């Protein structure tokens, strides 16, 4: 089940597979997650499955061993936290990022312009990760880490549906950080994330109207 060239720990790969099944609807809301069954399906022991479930519980996708589907209110609340924390991280990034980290941000922007969907997904994730790490605040970094499944859900949506100006916004954030303009970087990041949220909520609203 796992990629032969993937050197990441089994629990990380298990986590991503289970997360993706939840987010794409293969494991719908209410589905009971049975460790032994999932371990057999993925060809691993129950230990990495147990660790994966624990992480997904922290992220709010599993509760009492059953799949939970985030509501619009959940998404709004989580993104309000993300806007605050990543806005502050962008402010910090303008002061603390080193040249190699700035280069990494620039590469992410370039991949966003020319890459395939999966490449853009990874570049998008890396772009935000570099900026969050710039906060040098382990509590903030941990909070964002617990939100990764919801962030992934939004990232997949904005990339698949080709949200207008997504990469342009990344480029402007990068330019502000490179120019060491922390206040501008903070404002741009907050506006960027708010645009992500608005775009996804608009799609959700359209889906409701069409059902």
């Amino acid at each position: 089940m796992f990629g032969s060239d993937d050197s990441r720990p089994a629990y990380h790969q298990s986590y991503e597979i289970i997360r993706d099944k939840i987010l794409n609807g293969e494991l719908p809301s209410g589905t009971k997650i049975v460790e032994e069954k999932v371990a057999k399906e993925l060809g691993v022991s129950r230990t990495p499955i147990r660790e994966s479930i624990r992480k997904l519980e922290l992220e709010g996708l599993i509760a009492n061993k059953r799949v939970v589907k985030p509501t619009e209110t959940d998404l709004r609340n989580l993104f309000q936290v993300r806007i605050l924390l990543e806005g502050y991280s962008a402010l910090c990034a303008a002061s603390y990022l080193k040249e190699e980290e700035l280069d990494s941000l620039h590469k992410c922007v370039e991949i966003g312009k020319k890459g395939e969907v999966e490449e853009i997904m990874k570049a998008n994730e890396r772009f935000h990760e570099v900026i969050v790490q710039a906060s040098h605040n382990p509590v903030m970094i941990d909070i964002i880490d617990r939100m990764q499944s919801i962030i992934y859900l939004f990232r997949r949506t904005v990339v698949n549906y080709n949200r207008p100006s997504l990469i342009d916004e990344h480029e402007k954030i990068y330019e502000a950080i490179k120019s060491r303009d922390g206040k501008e970087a903070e404002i741009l990041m907050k506006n960027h994330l708010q645009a992500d949220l608005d775009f996804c909520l608009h799609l959700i609203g359209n889906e409701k109207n069409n059902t």
Side-chain angles (χ1 to χ4, degrees):
M1 188 74 181
F2 294 161
S4 58
D5 61 342
D6 198 329
S7 60
R8 292 171 301 167
Y11 92 87
H12 194 124
Q13 297 183 63
S14 301
Y15 154 77
E16 288 191 345
I17 291 169
I18 299 169
R19 177 200 64 190
D20 291 357
K21 286 177 180 289
I22 293 172
L23 295 179
N24 67 23
E26 194 174 331
L27 291 173
S29 178
T31 301
K32 187 173 183 180
I33 305 297
V34 181
E35 289 178 11
E36 188 174 358
K37 180 182 177 184
V38 177
K40 187 175 181 180
E41 288 176 354
L42 300 186
V44 297
S45 71
R46 293 175 64 177
T47 300
I49 301 302
R50 192 174 299 119
E51 293 174 357
S52 301
I53 290 171
R54 189 177 298 120
K55 182 170 173 58
L56 289 162
E57 286 174 337
L58 286 173
E59 294 178 4
L61 288 186
I62 294 177
N64 300 317
K65 298 293 177 69
R66 291 188 182 275
V67 175
V68 176
K69 185 175 182 179
T71 65
E72 285 185 43
T73 300
D74 291 333
L75 299 178
R76 287 180 187 276
N77 290 343
L78 286 163
F79 247 71
Q80 284 173 0
V81 173
R82 191 181 172 199
I83 287 167
L84 288 171
L85 298 189
E86 291 203 41
Y88 175 75
S89 295
L91 173 68
C92 294
S95 296
Y96 301 125
L97 282 193
K98 299 175 182 177
E99 283 302 318
E100 58 266 30
E101 293 163 327
L102 289 170
D103 288 342
S104 183
L105 288 185
H106 184 252
K107 287 176 184 174
C108 291
V109 171
E110 291 304 307
I111 292 170
K113 292 177 180 178
K114 305 170 186 174
E116 300 296 328
V117 170
E118 288 305 319
E119 293 173 325
I120 295 171
M121 283 284 294
K122 289 178 181 177
N124 192 318
E125 180 179 11
R126 178 61 181 159
F127 183 86
H128 287 273
E129 179 186 22
V130 169
I131 293 172
V132 169
Q133 292 290 330
S135 71
H136 297 294
N137 185 322
V139 177
M140 286 174 53
I141 293 167
D142 182 60
I143 291 170
I144 291 290
D145 187 56
R146 295 186 191 191
M147 297 166 61
Q148 283 305 315
S149 286
I150 305 301
I151 293 171
Y152 175 89
L153 173 64
F154 274 81
R155 182 173 294 123
R156 173 67 67 183
T157 301
V158 298
V159 171
N160 278 350
Y161 285 87
N162 196 25
R163 176 169 84 74
S165 304
L166 177 68
I167 305 305
D168 290 342
E169 290 165 17
H170 275 194
E171 188 163 30
K172 288 177 182 176
I173 293 167
Y174 159 71
E175 293 291 352
I177 291 172
K178 184 181 178 184
S179 300
R180 305 301 180 185
D181 189 341
K183 281 297 179 185
E184 179 68 5
E186 180 179 23
I187 291 168
L188 289 170
M189 177 62 82
K190 287 182 174 181
N191 290 343
H192 168 67
L193 294 174
Q194 184 63 52
D196 274 358
L197 176 59
D198 293 343
F199 181 77
C200 292
L201 291 175
H202 177 71
L203 290 177
I204 292 170
N206 285 344
E207 287 177 3
K208 282 184 176 180
N209 292 334
N210 292 330
T211 56

